[in-house]
Amino acid sequence: MKRTLVFLLMFVFMGANSEIRAQKPADRIVVAYFSATGTTARAAREVARITGGALHAIEPAEPYTAADLDWHDRRSRSSVEMTSPQARPAIRPGADELPACDVLFIGYPIWWDQAPRIIQTFLESRDWRGTRLIPFATSGGSGVANSVAELRRAYPDWNWDKGLLLNRIDEKAILERLGR
């Protein structure tokens, strides 16, 4: 009787163990974002909460001032950067280091209908092949489609997902991107 019970327990344990191994491990998710005024940071915190992803700030080496962000002034720092496709603003040392991930939500405000150049600085810090990239943005009036199209054109070998405009958090849309 004992021997039968031992064999039965071994069979159950081995079956359960093989079931556990057969399950796909959960995606490792990182939510990286650049936020000049705090709006995109709030959206990123919500994306991280909803997805369970690790939150990661992309911070400039030199923070942007209100004068730097004055898009009415063609000589402001942001205007100069956005009119130069080659501009790559420096990132604070260590701000490009983040945990390994399978899915990267990449957040930014829309500037001149594009992602700010600091996003390209960050993206160019490593090869993202094999990582699913889900852009999301906040904006006072522009959509996200053109900024995503520009990123796809600049980095065509990467796995870009459709972008999300997150002026209002849409938990359902975020989870749908993850297939949940």
Side-chain angles (χ1 to χ4, degrees):
M1 177 76 169
K2 271 187 175 179
R3 188 178 284 173
T4 305
L5 185 57
V6 169
F7 283 121
L8 182 59
L9 288 173
M10 285 176 56
F11 176 76
V12 169
F13 175 73
M14 288 172 65
N17 194 27
S18 65
E19 239 180 78
I20 291 168
R21 278 191 303 244
Q23 291 176 355
K24 181 183 180 282
D27 288 332
R28 296 170 297 170
I29 299 170
V30 171
V31 180
Y33 69 93
F34 164 69
S35 185
T37 64
T39 303
T40 305
R42 283 188 293 280
R45 284 191 295 274
E46 282 300 301
V47 172
R49 181 190 63 77
I50 292 165
T51 64
L55 194 59
H56 179 82
I58 301 166
E59 300 173 294
E62 180 185 335
Y64 288 89
T65 66
D68 291 337
L69 299 173
D70 183 1
W71 59 275
H72 293 292
D73 179 359
R74 289 188 293 176
R75 294 176 309 207
S76 73
R77 179 175 162 199
S78 60
S79 295
V80 170
E81 288 173 2
M82 295 309 293
T83 57
S84 174
Q86 296 76 28
R88 297 296 183 269
I91 293 178
R92 182 186 53 76
D96 59 346
E97 298 171 12
L98 68 157
C101 61
D102 303 308
V103 177
L104 176 69
F105 280 86
I106 181 82
Y108 50 87
I110 299 289
W111 287 3
W112 289 262
D113 207 27
Q114 298 176 43
R117 302 287 184 225
I118 195 167
I119 293 299
Q120 288 153 310
T121 305
F122 173 77
L123 289 171
E124 291 169 5
S125 70
R126 69 180 63 196
D127 184 350
W128 294 99
R129 280 181 275 226
T131 302
R132 184 173 169 208
L133 301 164
I134 305 175
F136 70 93
T138 56
S139 174
S142 300
V144 70
N146 189 64
S147 69
V148 174
E150 290 290 326
L151 291 170
R152 282 185 174 145
R153 253 191 303 283
Y155 313 103
D157 296 334
W158 296 348
N159 182 19
W160 291 100
D161 205 323
K162 185 177 167 186
L164 292 163
L165 185 63
L166 294 180
N167 290 338
R168 289 186 205 102
I169 298 302
D170 183 348
E171 187 167 337
K172 182 180 174 192
I174 292 166
L175 292 175
E176 282 175 356
R177 292 295 153 80
L178 295 173
R180 296 182 187 168

PDB file of all heavy atoms in Angstrom, residues 79-107:
ATOM      1  N   SER A  79      13.697  73.129 -29.841  1.00  0.00           N
ATOM      2  CA  SER A  79      13.498  73.481 -31.251  1.00  0.00           C
ATOM      3  C   SER A  79      14.729  73.146 -32.075  1.00  0.00           C
ATOM      4  O   SER A  79      14.623  72.580 -33.170  1.00  0.00           O
ATOM      5  CB  SER A  79      13.176  74.972 -31.398  1.00  0.00           C
ATOM      6  OG  SER A  79      11.945  75.276 -30.793  1.00  0.00           O
ATOM      7  N   VAL A  80      15.900  73.469 -31.552  1.00  0.00           N
ATOM      8  CA  VAL A  80      17.149  73.170 -32.261  1.00  0.00           C
ATOM      9  C   VAL A  80      17.317  71.660 -32.423  1.00  0.00           C
ATOM     10  O   VAL A  80      17.662  71.173 -33.500  1.00  0.00           O
ATOM     11  CB  VAL A  80      18.355  73.800 -31.527  1.00  0.00           C
ATOM     12  CG1 VAL A  80      19.677  73.307 -32.094  1.00  0.00           C
ATOM     13  CG2 VAL A  80      18.272  75.326 -31.593  1.00  0.00           C
ATOM     14  N   GLU A  81      17.062  70.917 -31.357  1.00  0.00           N
ATOM     15  CA  GLU A  81      17.192  69.453 -31.438  1.00  0.00           C
ATOM     16  C   GLU A  81      16.229  68.863 -32.461  1.00  0.00           C
ATOM     17  O   GLU A  81      16.605  68.009 -33.256  1.00  0.00           O
ATOM     18  CB  GLU A  81      16.913  68.815 -30.063  1.00  0.00           C
ATOM     19  CG  GLU A  81      17.996  69.057 -29.060  1.00  0.00           C
ATOM     20  CD  GLU A  81      17.636  68.571 -27.668  1.00  0.00           C
ATOM     21  OE1 GLU A  81      16.540  67.998 -27.462  1.00  0.00           O
ATOM     22  OE2 GLU A  81      18.465  68.786 -26.771  1.00  0.00           O
ATOM     23  N   MET A  82      14.990  69.328 -32.447  1.00  0.00           N
ATOM     24  CA  MET A  82      13.985  68.717 -33.309  1.00  0.00           C
ATOM     25  C   MET A  82      14.136  69.108 -34.773  1.00  0.00           C
ATOM     26  O   MET A  82      13.661  68.390 -35.649  1.00  0.00           O
ATOM     27  CB  MET A  82      12.578  69.041 -32.799  1.00  0.00           C
ATOM     28  CG  MET A  82      12.287  68.427 -31.434  1.00  0.00           C
ATOM     29  SD  MET A  82      12.634  66.644 -31.309  1.00  0.00           S
ATOM     30  CE  MET A  82      11.396  65.981 -32.400  1.00  0.00           C
ATOM     31  N   THR A  83      14.812  70.202 -35.054  1.00  0.00           N
ATOM     32  CA  THR A  83      15.044  70.560 -36.460  1.00  0.00           C
ATOM     33  C   THR A  83      16.313  69.921 -37.007  1.00  0.00           C
ATOM     34  O   THR A  83      16.610  70.063 -38.183  1.00  0.00           O
ATOM     35  CB  THR A  83      15.100  72.091 -36.648  1.00  0.00           C
ATOM     36  OG1 THR A  83      16.107  72.632 -35.802  1.00  0.00           O
ATOM     37  CG2 THR A  83      13.749  72.724 -36.345  1.00  0.00           C
ATOM     38  N   SER A  84      17.029  69.199 -36.161  1.00  0.00           N
ATOM     39  CA  SER A  84      18.242  68.502 -36.588  1.00  0.00           C
ATOM     40  C   SER A  84      18.060  66.996 -36.410  1.00  0.00           C
ATOM     41  O   SER A  84      18.162  66.494 -35.281  1.00  0.00           O
ATOM     42  CB  SER A  84      19.450  68.975 -35.779  1.00  0.00           C
ATOM     43  OG  SER A  84      20.578  68.190 -36.107  1.00  0.00           O
ATOM     44  N   PRO A  85      17.790  66.255 -37.479  1.00  0.00           N
ATOM     45  CA  PRO A  85      17.587  64.804 -37.356  1.00  0.00           C
ATOM     46  C   PRO A  85      18.779  64.066 -36.742  1.00  0.00           C
ATOM     47  O   PRO A  85      18.614  62.987 -36.194  1.00  0.00           O
ATOM     48  CB  PRO A  85      17.353  64.342 -38.792  1.00  0.00           C
ATOM     49  CG  PRO A  85      16.916  65.558 -39.532  1.00  0.00           C
ATOM     50  CD  PRO A  85      17.606  66.722 -38.846  1.00  0.00           C
ATOM     51  N   GLN A  86      19.957  64.661 -36.803  1.00  0.00           N
ATOM     52  CA  GLN A  86      21.150  64.013 -36.246  1.00  0.00           C
ATOM     53  C   GLN A  86      21.351  64.299 -34.766  1.00  0.00           C
ATOM     54  O   GLN A  86      22.230  63.714 -34.134  1.00  0.00           O
ATOM     55  CB  GLN A  86      22.421  64.447 -37.009  1.00  0.00           C
ATOM     56  CG  GLN A  86      22.453  64.032 -38.458  1.00  0.00           C
ATOM     57  CD  GLN A  86      21.557  64.905 -39.343  1.00  0.00           C
ATOM     58  OE1 GLN A  86      21.308  66.066 -39.061  1.00  0.00           O
ATOM     59  NE2 GLN A  86      21.044  64.308 -40.404  1.00  0.00           N
ATOM     60  N   ALA A  87      20.566  65.188 -34.198  1.00  0.00           N
ATOM     61  CA  ALA A  87      20.734  65.542 -32.787  1.00  0.00           C
ATOM     62  C   ALA A  87      20.495  64.322 -31.900  1.00  0.00           C
ATOM     63  O   ALA A  87      19.552  63.563 -32.114  1.00  0.00           O
ATOM     64  CB  ALA A  87      19.774  66.665 -32.402  1.00  0.00           C
ATOM     65  N   ARG A  88      21.374  64.122 -30.941  1.00  0.00           N
ATOM     66  CA  ARG A  88      21.247  63.051 -29.957  1.00  0.00           C
ATOM     67  C   ARG A  88      21.618  63.615 -28.592  1.00  0.00           C
ATOM     68  O   ARG A  88      22.772  63.554 -28.168  1.00  0.00           O
ATOM     69  CB  ARG A  88      22.157  61.849 -30.288  1.00  0.00           C
ATOM     70  CG  ARG A  88      21.838  61.134 -31.594  1.00  0.00           C
ATOM     71  CD  ARG A  88      20.453  60.493 -31.553  1.00  0.00           C
ATOM     72  NE  ARG A  88      20.153  59.749 -32.758  1.00  0.00           N
ATOM     73  CZ  ARG A  88      19.543  60.251 -33.826  1.00  0.00           C
ATOM     74  NH1 ARG A  88      19.176  61.530 -33.850  1.00  0.00           N
ATOM     75  NH2 ARG A  88      19.283  59.489 -34.867  1.00  0.00           N
ATOM     76  N   PRO A  89      20.641  64.190 -27.889  1.00  0.00           N
ATOM     77  CA  PRO A  89      20.918  64.760 -26.563  1.00  0.00           C
ATOM     78  C   PRO A  89      21.482  63.690 -25.626  1.00  0.00           C
ATOM     79  O   PRO A  89      21.042  62.541 -25.639  1.00  0.00           O
ATOM     80  CB  PRO A  89      19.542  65.231 -26.078  1.00  0.00           C
ATOM     81  CG  PRO A  89      18.707  65.319 -27.312  1.00  0.00           C
ATOM     82  CD  PRO A  89      19.248  64.325 -28.272  1.00  0.00           C
ATOM     83  N   ALA A  90      22.441  64.087 -24.848  1.00  0.00           N
ATOM     84  CA  ALA A  90      23.084  63.152 -23.921  1.00  0.00           C
ATOM     85  C   ALA A  90      22.106  62.716 -22.831  1.00  0.00           C
ATOM     86  O   ALA A  90      21.278  63.494 -22.368  1.00  0.00           O
ATOM     87  CB  ALA A  90      24.308  63.800 -23.293  1.00  0.00           C
ATOM     88  N   ILE A  91      22.257  61.458 -22.446  1.00  0.00           N
ATOM     89  CA  ILE A  91      21.464  60.891 -21.362  1.00  0.00           C
ATOM     90  C   ILE A  91      22.324  60.866 -20.108  1.00  0.00           C
ATOM     91  O   ILE A  91      23.532  60.644 -20.179  1.00  0.00           O
ATOM     92  CB  ILE A  91      20.999  59.464 -21.735  1.00  0.00           C
ATOM     93  CG1 ILE A  91      20.009  59.534 -22.892  1.00  0.00           C
ATOM     94  CG2 ILE A  91      20.368  58.763 -20.547  1.00  0.00           C
ATOM     95  CD1 ILE A  91      19.530  58.181 -23.371  1.00  0.00           C
ATOM     96  N   ARG A  92      21.678  61.102 -18.961  1.00  0.00           N
ATOM     97  CA  ARG A  92      22.380  61.037 -17.682  1.00  0.00           C
ATOM     98  C   ARG A  92      23.097  59.700 -17.582  1.00  0.00           C
ATOM     99  O   ARG A  92      22.529  58.659 -17.900  1.00  0.00           O
ATOM    100  CB  ARG A  92      21.385  61.191 -16.533  1.00  0.00           C
ATOM    101  CG  ARG A  92      22.039  61.185 -15.155  1.00  0.00           C
ATOM    102  CD  ARG A  92      21.021  61.181 -14.031  1.00  0.00           C
ATOM    103  NE  ARG A  92      20.017  60.135 -14.109  1.00  0.00           N
ATOM    104  CZ  ARG A  92      20.236  58.850 -13.807  1.00  0.00           C
ATOM    105  NH1 ARG A  92      21.419  58.449 -13.414  1.00  0.00           N
ATOM    106  NH2 ARG A  92      19.266  57.970 -13.902  1.00  0.00           N
ATOM    107  N   PRO A  93      24.362  59.689 -17.164  1.00  0.00           N
ATOM    108  CA  PRO A  93      25.083  58.417 -17.039  1.00  0.00           C
ATOM    109  C   PRO A  93      24.281  57.408 -16.221  1.00  0.00           C
ATOM    110  O   PRO A  93      23.748  57.728 -15.159  1.00  0.00           O
ATOM    111  CB  PRO A  93      26.375  58.819 -16.323  1.00  0.00           C
ATOM    112  CG  PRO A  93      26.575  60.257 -16.705  1.00  0.00           C
ATOM    113  CD  PRO A  93      25.174  60.836 -16.776  1.00  0.00           C
ATOM    114  N   GLY A  94      24.163  56.217 -16.771  1.00  0.00           N
ATOM    115  CA  GLY A  94      23.417  55.146 -16.127  1.00  0.00           C
ATOM    116  C   GLY A  94      21.951  55.098 -16.522  1.00  0.00           C
ATOM    117  O   GLY A  94      21.271  54.113 -16.269  1.00  0.00           O
ATOM    118  N   ALA A  95      21.440  56.163 -17.162  1.00  0.00           N
ATOM    119  CA  ALA A  95      20.021  56.204 -17.521  1.00  0.00           C
ATOM    120  C   ALA A  95      19.696  55.304 -18.705  1.00  0.00           C
ATOM    121  O   ALA A  95      18.537  55.111 -19.021  1.00  0.00           O
ATOM    122  CB  ALA A  95      19.583  57.633 -17.810  1.00  0.00           C
ATOM    123  N   ASP A  96      20.717  54.761 -19.359  1.00  0.00           N
ATOM    124  CA  ASP A  96      20.453  53.834 -20.461  1.00  0.00           C
ATOM    125  C   ASP A  96      20.557  52.380 -19.997  1.00  0.00           C
ATOM    126  O   ASP A  96      20.369  51.455 -20.779  1.00  0.00           O
ATOM    127  CB  ASP A  96      21.399  54.092 -21.634  1.00  0.00           C
ATOM    128  CG  ASP A  96      22.856  53.956 -21.260  1.00  0.00           C
ATOM    129  OD1 ASP A  96      23.169  53.917 -20.049  1.00  0.00           O
ATOM    130  OD2 ASP A  96      23.688  53.896 -22.167  1.00  0.00           O
ATOM    131  N   GLU A  97      20.839  52.180 -18.714  1.00  0.00           N
ATOM    132  CA  GLU A  97      20.937  50.826 -18.165  1.00  0.00           C
ATOM    133  C   GLU A  97      19.577  50.409 -17.631  1.00  0.00           C
ATOM    134  O   GLU A  97      18.961  51.124 -16.850  1.00  0.00           O
ATOM    135  CB  GLU A  97      21.965  50.793 -17.030  1.00  0.00           C
ATOM    136  CG  GLU A  97      23.358  51.148 -17.499  1.00  0.00           C
ATOM    137  CD  GLU A  97      24.332  51.329 -16.346  1.00  0.00           C
ATOM    138  OE1 GLU A  97      24.002  50.960 -15.205  1.00  0.00           O
ATOM    139  OE2 GLU A  97      25.413  51.860 -16.606  1.00  0.00           O
ATOM    140  N   LEU A  98      19.107  49.263 -18.062  1.00  0.00           N
ATOM    141  CA  LEU A  98      17.850  48.751 -17.569  1.00  0.00           C
ATOM    142  C   LEU A  98      17.873  47.240 -17.614  1.00  0.00           C
ATOM    143  O   LEU A  98      18.708  46.645 -18.296  1.00  0.00           O
ATOM    144  CB  LEU A  98      16.663  49.310 -18.346  1.00  0.00           C
ATOM    145  CG  LEU A  98      16.484  48.910 -19.793  1.00  0.00           C
ATOM    146  CD1 LEU A  98      15.022  49.089 -20.161  1.00  0.00           C
ATOM    147  CD2 LEU A  98      17.307  49.794 -20.692  1.00  0.00           C
ATOM    148  N   PRO A  99      16.960  46.597 -16.888  1.00  0.00           N
ATOM    149  CA  PRO A  99      16.965  45.139 -16.868  1.00  0.00           C
ATOM    150  C   PRO A  99      16.632  44.559 -18.236  1.00  0.00           C
ATOM    151  O   PRO A  99      15.995  45.216 -19.066  1.00  0.00           O
ATOM    152  CB  PRO A  99      15.872  44.792 -15.849  1.00  0.00           C
ATOM    153  CG  PRO A  99      15.105  46.028 -15.605  1.00  0.00           C
ATOM    154  CD  PRO A  99      15.921  47.187 -16.066  1.00  0.00           C
ATOM    155  N   ALA A 100      17.067  43.320 -18.459  1.00  0.00           N
ATOM    156  CA  ALA A 100      16.726  42.627 -19.702  1.00  0.00           C
ATOM    157  C   ALA A 100      15.210  42.521 -19.791  1.00  0.00           C
ATOM    158  O   ALA A 100      14.523  42.404 -18.767  1.00  0.00           O
ATOM    159  CB  ALA A 100      17.362  41.246 -19.712  1.00  0.00           C
ATOM    160  N   CYS A 101      14.682  42.600 -21.018  1.00  0.00           N
ATOM    161  CA  CYS A 101      13.234  42.523 -21.169  1.00  0.00           C
ATOM    162  C   CYS A 101      12.858  41.871 -22.492  1.00  0.00           C
ATOM    163  O   CYS A 101      13.640  41.857 -23.431  1.00  0.00           O
ATOM    164  CB  CYS A 101      12.609  43.906 -21.050  1.00  0.00           C
ATOM    165  SG  CYS A 101      13.149  45.106 -22.276  1.00  0.00           S
ATOM    166  N   ASP A 102      11.644  41.352 -22.521  1.00  0.00           N
ATOM    167  CA  ASP A 102      11.058  40.805 -23.743  1.00  0.00           C
ATOM    168  C   ASP A 102      10.170  41.851 -24.405  1.00  0.00           C
ATOM    169  O   ASP A 102      10.001  41.856 -25.618  1.00  0.00           O
ATOM    170  CB  ASP A 102      10.204  39.573 -23.414  1.00  0.00           C
ATOM    171  CG  ASP A 102      11.002  38.501 -22.700  1.00  0.00           C
ATOM    172  OD1 ASP A 102      12.067  38.125 -23.216  1.00  0.00           O
ATOM    173  OD2 ASP A 102      10.583  38.070 -21.605  1.00  0.00           O
ATOM    174  N   VAL A 103       9.568  42.705 -23.569  1.00  0.00           N
ATOM    175  CA  VAL A 103       8.660  43.755 -24.037  1.00  0.00           C
ATOM    176  C   VAL A 103       9.131  45.074 -23.442  1.00  0.00           C
ATOM    177  O   VAL A 103       9.330  45.188 -22.233  1.00  0.00           O
ATOM    178  CB  VAL A 103       7.202  43.484 -23.596  1.00  0.00           C
ATOM    179  CG1 VAL A 103       6.289  44.615 -24.029  1.00  0.00           C
ATOM    180  CG2 VAL A 103       6.704  42.150 -24.136  1.00  0.00           C
ATOM    181  N   LEU A 104       9.319  46.067 -24.316  1.00  0.00           N
ATOM    182  CA  LEU A 104       9.695  47.405 -23.866  1.00  0.00           C
ATOM    183  C   LEU A 104       8.602  48.377 -24.280  1.00  0.00           C
ATOM    184  O   LEU A 104       8.384  48.603 -25.472  1.00  0.00           O
ATOM    185  CB  LEU A 104      11.024  47.847 -24.473  1.00  0.00           C
ATOM    186  CG  LEU A 104      11.456  49.278 -24.137  1.00  0.00           C
ATOM    187  CD1 LEU A 104      11.818  49.397 -22.659  1.00  0.00           C
ATOM    188  CD2 LEU A 104      12.615  49.723 -25.007  1.00  0.00           C
ATOM    189  N   PHE A 105       7.890  48.923 -23.296  1.00  0.00           N
ATOM    190  CA  PHE A 105       7.006  50.051 -23.553  1.00  0.00           C
ATOM    191  C   PHE A 105       7.924  51.263 -23.541  1.00  0.00           C
ATOM    192  O   PHE A 105       8.679  51.461 -22.590  1.00  0.00           O
ATOM    193  CB  PHE A 105       5.950  50.180 -22.458  1.00  0.00           C
ATOM    194  CG  PHE A 105       4.787  49.248 -22.604  1.00  0.00           C
ATOM    195  CD1 PHE A 105       4.847  47.963 -22.095  1.00  0.00           C
ATOM    196  CD2 PHE A 105       3.616  49.662 -23.240  1.00  0.00           C
ATOM    197  CE1 PHE A 105       3.769  47.105 -22.207  1.00  0.00           C
ATOM    198  CE2 PHE A 105       2.537  48.808 -23.356  1.00  0.00           C
ATOM    199  CZ  PHE A 105       2.605  47.529 -22.847  1.00  0.00           C
ATOM    200  N   ILE A 106       7.890  52.064 -24.594  1.00  0.00           N
ATOM    201  CA  ILE A 106       8.769  53.227 -24.673  1.00  0.00           C
ATOM    202  C   ILE A 106       7.905  54.487 -24.779  1.00  0.00           C
ATOM    203  O   ILE A 106       7.188  54.673 -25.754  1.00  0.00           O
ATOM    204  CB  ILE A 106       9.782  53.094 -25.841  1.00  0.00           C
ATOM    205  CG1 ILE A 106      10.724  54.279 -25.933  1.00  0.00           C
ATOM    206  CG2 ILE A 106       9.111  52.848 -27.170  1.00  0.00           C
ATOM    207  CD1 ILE A 106      11.871  54.193 -25.000  1.00  0.00           C
ATOM    208  N   GLY A 107       7.939  55.325 -23.728  1.00  0.00           N
ATOM    209  CA  GLY A 107       7.048  56.476 -23.650  1.00  0.00           C
ATOM    210  C   GLY A 107       7.747  57.802 -23.828  1.00  0.00           C
ATOM    211  O   GLY A 107       8.901  57.968 -23.420  1.00  0.00           O
TER     212      GLY A 107
END
